[in-house]
Amino acid sequence: MPWLETVPMHERGRFIDDYLLGFYSMTELCARYAVSRKTGYKWVGRYDAGGRPALGDRSRAPHTSPQRIPAAVAALILQARRQHPDWGAEKLLQWLEPRHPRIEAWPAISTAGDLLAREGLVRKRRRRRLPTHPGVVPPTTHAPNDLWATDFKGQFRTGDGIYCYPLTVTDQHTRYLLGVQGLLSTRGSGVRPIYDRLFREYGLPRAMRTDNGVPFASTALHGLTPLNVWWVRLGIQHQRILPAHPQQNGAHERMHKTLKRGAIRPPRATLAAQQRAFNHFRREYNEERPHQYLQGRTPGALYRASSRTYTGGLPPLEYPGHYLVKRVTNAGTVRFKHQLLYLSTALRGHRVAFEEVDDGIWSVYFCEVLLGRLDERHALKTGQLGVTHVPGGERQGSCRRRHAVSRSLWLGSGLSTTVPRGV
């Protein structure tokens, strides 16, 4: 830059003072200050027009900008942000556009984001690398009700000191929030009525995805609990993610983060008030809030109830004719080859089936689920049931589902169990 950068105003003032003395020509004066004649004439012209204050630097911003947000549109965006403080610029524009059809031109997402930042309505957060887990297969769906995800949001105390355990259920394909219910505990006796109501209202899903906590799984045979035994009887495949891997149910966990901001912080005064907050959040989440995964559409615009209706009863349990069928006692045991085999109290009153797949090797099934295999020769020799590894498989006849093995569990009964891996 020709002018001295330290004090340009001082240099320009000296230039004008020497010009006013009339001792130098413009050519000599510009050579003396190492500037072009064009620059010299520019500052002389500004001095003649406005005096010494005109020698200061002028703003380079354009007088008009086609990208500037109209005041009315900016007011709508700011008002929507204050109404929905958790929504970003993209969601706000997607929510406003159908509600104001007379506005033809909406600003770009980045422009709206800059507006929110200038008004102090955006808090900058540090970018974090998304964690990845090698070998995890993400869930895939083709239609609503192919897969429901369910879990308990972390418990918290309401204003009156009562613990609230929010039970949540979502449809994986459409992200539709089927239910949010604040419960007093995670016991299965209080959870089953919630699913019974959802099944009656929306029908049966093809699969249910959970973690390995209570009441969805246990440390018993195959992780069986009364709740997932009921699901299996209804023809619902139970998918369990690997322990300590919540990212395998990432979409549902992300919904929990939004639920926490929108309906839990701060906790309401009572459990009834908290449930009203849950219901309001669910309506807004399904019907108003644009979803990024759905390209700005709402979950309610895409979700449809299942064609598999539920009336409250259990379908008949049938096995192929060559299976050896046994009824599980109230103690969770069955009599097999003059041996008393303990399975699980979760199976009490239900029928299990044994299929001989090799000489003395039997596969144990409940509905379409392979629970494990036993070696009867080992049992006759030692008085205990032998264990053989089950690498996964599918039932002959009516079974069409394949269960991948994530681990084998050794039980006191000596029965090897296979646990379906979350996919």
Side-chain angles (χ1 to χ4, degrees), residues 249-328:
N249 206 8
H252 196 76
E253 296 295 339
R254 179 61 182 84
M255 182 277 298
H256 277 176
K257 183 178 180 180
T258 306
L259 173 66
K260 186 175 182 179
R261 291 200 307 261
I264 298 179
R265 287 186 175 179
R268 304 312 191 260
T270 64
L271 190 61
Q274 186 64 60
Q275 186 59 50
R276 289 193 294 270
F278 286 151
N279 295 339
H280 175 76
F281 171 84
R282 178 174 172 269
R283 287 192 296 268
E284 181 182 278
Y285 187 88
N286 288 334
E287 307 300 336
E288 293 189 28
R289 182 180 184 272
H291 205 293
Q292 185 176 6
Y293 174 78
L294 306 177
Q295 288 78 46
R297 293 171 293 181
T298 61
L302 299 178
Y303 180 75
R304 298 295 182 270
S306 173
S307 59
R308 302 177 60 202
T309 59
Y310 170 74
T311 59
L314 294 176
L317 180 56
E318 299 179 353
Y319 294 104
H322 65 284
Y323 279 30
L324 179 63
V325 180
K326 298 286 186 177
R327 183 182 180 277
V328 182

Side-chain angles (χ1 to χ4, degrees), residues 147-155 166-168 186 191 195 208-219 222-225 227-228 231 237-250 252-253 256 407 419-423:
L147 176 62
W148 287 7
T150 183
D151 196 4
F152 273 98
K153 176 73 183 70
Q155 72 274 11
L167 175 65
T168 58
T186 61
V191 169
Y195 293 106
M208 190 79 75
R209 191 177 182 89
T210 73
D211 59 12
N212 297 272
V214 176
F216 310 118
S218 68
T219 57
H222 203 74
L224 293 176
T225 67
L227 182 64
N228 60 35
W231 289 346
Q237 183 189 26
H238 184 199
Q239 299 180 2
R240 296 200 296 273
I241 63 175
L242 294 177
H245 287 75
Q247 65 270 24
Q248 295 181 9
N249 206 8
H252 196 76
E253 296 295 339
H256 277 176
R407 65 190 185 275
V419 180
R421 179 174 181 173
V423 294

